[in-house]
Structure formats: C-alpha cells, structure tokens
C-alpha cells in the first residue's frame, strides 16, 4: 500500500466523518471546476475536520470589523480549550445528513447549509462565553445573525445532534437550554416573557421536534421526545412523548413515534388538530 493510500485508510478508520467530507469535496472538484478553489481551500487543504470547520465559518463571518484570520485564530484557540466542539459538530453533521432529505453528502452542510453553519458558530461563541470572552461571543452572535439569519444568545448550552432545517428566523434567548437530538425548522422562537432578567426562557428536552414558525415562550419545560406543531404558540409545560399544536398549544395526541426529531414527520398534526 502506498503512503498516501495508507494515510487515507488511517484517516477513514480514525475519523470517518472527515473522510466522508473530503470525499465530497473531491467530487466537487471533479464535477464543478468553478467551485474547485473553494472546495480545495475550505476542505482539502486542511488536515483535520476542526481546521476545515474553523476555516469555513471564518470565511463566512469575515467582516471589516473582525477579519477571517482573527476569527480563525480565535476558533483554533477554542478548539484547543474545548475539544468537544469538534465532536458535537460531527454529530450535528451526521444528524443533518440523516434527517434532511435535501442533504445527500457529508460535505454539503459544512460548505453550504447555513443552519448547520449557524449552530457551529454558536458552539464557538458559547465556548468563548464560558471562557470569559463575552464581547467576542456577542460579536459572533451579532455577525451570525447578519450572515445566517439565526440569533442565538451565546449563553445558551446546546446538546449534540442538533438539526436546524433552513435556519432562517430562529431566535433563542439567553436562559434557554436545548437538549440532545433536537430538530428545529425555520422561524422558531424560544423566547422569554416580560422584562425580568431571571430564568425566563424554555428548556427543550432531548429528541424534541419543533415545527416551522412555532413560538415557545417562558421558563417552561418541553418534555423529551415531544413534538410541537408548525405555527403553534406554547405557553405551558409539555409532557414527554406527546404532540402539541394550536394557539395556544394544547396536547392533541401522542408523539407518533419514539424519536420525533429523528423521523421529522409533521404531516398528520393537521389531521389530529381538526379531528
């Protein structure tokens, strides 16, 4: 086996997600020469998934206020101090590939999907917030809102396996929390009520599916593996493994499956609400 082939096999054995991303980048170079420079600079020129992630996000966030080089350097520092960022980003990528029927290759979220890119930017911002770099974290929140149309306070802890479909219009407030394996569609709000600076935002459990345009308001718990219908306004606690829908939202039945966020099935919500 040649040295390059051996190295490729070692990469695949150690980091199959990274090898899948690189394979997709090579396909882009072969099929679309006009995008080859982007695929090479963003993916193929890097040795690790973390390096490519930081490079791509920094390129998207580049601005006269803070250059891509400075952002890239800050991200590299956060990866060193918070290595779990890379693991979470891989799990998010796998979640997007599994749950989004419009995603066909591992390289696509990293290069093109602003929902994925917004979540990863938040992971770096949250790390900076924890490290005491609050101003840089707030800058990233502001810049991500401009670039991706996603506004997540850097204080928000977020689990792994997050899939943000489309992403446009997502707002998550300061004292919210988001569990593992959560799927959210566009124009979702996890908001507070009133002017209190206390704990005032929703706590989203594991495996929750939140439909497009849903608003979840106040310091309320959304139970594990529950489902919130599109356009709903949720003002009260939601038990685990149920479906809620309406304005205001009410329980209309069971969740319909063990893991709503993984199945992404929302169609029968309308039928149940009208029955």
């Amino acid at each position: 086996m040649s040295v390059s082939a051996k190295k490729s096999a070692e990469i695949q054995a150690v980091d199959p997600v990274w090898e899948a991303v690189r394979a997709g980048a090579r396909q882009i170079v072969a099929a679309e020469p006009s995008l080859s420079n982007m695929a090479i600079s963003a993916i193929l020129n890097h040795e690790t998934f973390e390096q490519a992630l930081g490079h791509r996000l920094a390129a998207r966030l580049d601005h006269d206020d803070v250059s891509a080089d400075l952002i890239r350097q800050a991200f590299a520092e956060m990866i060193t101090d918070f290595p779990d960022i890379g693991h979470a980003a891989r799990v998010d990528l796998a979640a997007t590939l599994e749950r989004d029927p419009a995603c066909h290759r591992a390289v696509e979220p990293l290069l093109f999907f602003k929902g994925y890119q917004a979540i990863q930017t938040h992971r770096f911002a949250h790390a900076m917030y924890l490290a005491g770099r609050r101003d840089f974290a707030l800058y990233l929140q502001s810049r991500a809102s401009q670039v991706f149309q996603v506004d997540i306070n850097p204080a928000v802890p977020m689990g792994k396996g997050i899939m943000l479909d489309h992403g446009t219009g997502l707002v998550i407030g300061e004292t919210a929390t988001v569990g593992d394996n959560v799927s959210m569609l566009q124009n979702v709000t996890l908001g507070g009520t009133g002017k209190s600076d206390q704990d005032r935002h929703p706590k989203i459990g594991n495996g929750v599916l939140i439909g497009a345009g849903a608003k979840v308001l106040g310091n309320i718990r959304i139970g594990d593996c529950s489902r919130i219908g599109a356009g709903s306004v949720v003002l009260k606690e939601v038990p685990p493994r149920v479906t809620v829908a309406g304005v205001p939202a009410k329980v209309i039945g069971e969740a319909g499956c063990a893991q709503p966020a993984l199945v992404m099935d929302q169609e029968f919500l309308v039928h149940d609400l009208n029955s």
Side-chain angles (χ1 to χ4, degrees):
M1 181 181 292
S2 68
V3 174
S4 61
K6 182 178 180 181
K7 182 177 180 180
S8 178
E10 289 173 349
I11 290 174
Q12 187 171 5
V14 174
D15 194 347
V17 172
W18 177 226
E19 179 55 28
V21 170
R22 289 176 60 83
R26 289 191 290 268
Q27 290 175 355
I28 291 172
V29 170
E32 190 58 70
S34 60
L35 298 180
S36 61
N37 286 342
M38 179 189 69
I40 292 169
S41 64
I43 306 294
L44 297 176
N45 278 351
H46 303 285
E47 294 184 356
T48 68
F49 177 85
E50 285 81 0
Q51 290 174 0
L53 178 67
H55 184 280
R56 182 57 178 162
L57 295 179
R60 296 297 316 273
L61 298 168
D62 182 41
H63 191 269
D64 289 343
D65 288 340
V66 183
S67 70
D69 285 340
L70 288 175
I71 295 173
R72 196 175 298 118
Q73 179 180 344
F75 285 177
E77 294 169 359
M78 290 300 101
I79 284 290
T80 299
D81 294 338
F82 298 87
D84 194 53
I85 291 172
H87 174 61
R90 287 172 173 83
V91 179
D92 294 343
L93 193 151
T96 302
L97 187 59
E98 177 185 6
R99 300 175 209 168
D100 186 350
C103 183
H104 304 288
R105 296 171 299 175
V107 71
E108 292 170 7
L110 185 56
L111 283 183
F112 306 127
F113 288 15
K114 66 187 181 72
Y116 176 80
Q117 294 168 349
I119 292 296
Q120 307 324 310
T121 300
H122 170 72
R123 294 197 184 282
F124 283 106
H126 183 61
M128 289 185 177
Y129 179 87
L130 295 178
R133 302 177 66 177
R134 184 173 181 272
D135 290 327
F136 207 136
L138 290 173
Y139 175 78
L140 289 175
Q141 176 192 2
S142 173
R143 188 73 185 123
S145 180
Q146 293 173 322
V147 174
F148 306 125
Q149 295 82 53
V150 172
D151 194 341
I152 308 174
N153 189 283
V156 175
M158 193 166 291
K160 301 178 181 67
I162 306 299
M163 202 279 279
L164 182 54
D165 197 6
H166 299 291
T168 303
L170 178 80
V171 176
I172 303 181
E174 179 186 26
T175 61
T177 64
V178 178
D180 295 330
N181 298 316
V182 171
S183 294
M184 295 179 280
L185 282 85
Q186 68 271 16
N187 291 317
V188 165
T189 298
L190 307 182
T193 56
K195 294 172 62 178
S196 171
D197 62 356
Q198 303 302 312
D199 195 351
R200 62 197 183 277
H201 294 100
K203 310 299 180 280
I204 308 300
N206 300 323
V208 174
L209 171 61
I210 307 179
K215 316 301 177 188
V216 187
L217 305 177
N219 182 16
I220 57 176
R221 172 75 183 178
I222 307 302
D224 293 349
C225 300
S226 60
R227 178 166 50 174
I228 298 173
S232 298
V233 178
V234 184
L235 303 174
K236 296 181 179 180
E237 302 270 334
V238 174
R241 297 176 292 281
V242 301
T243 293
V244 299
V247 182
K250 62 180 181 180
V251 176
I252 62 169
E254 297 181 354
C257 62
Q259 294 283 338
L262 306 187
V263 177
M264 299 294 291
D265 181 9
Q266 303 173 81
E267 184 177 14
F268 74 93
L269 291 175
V270 175
H271 302 158
D272 284 357
L273 189 59
N274 293 334
S275 61

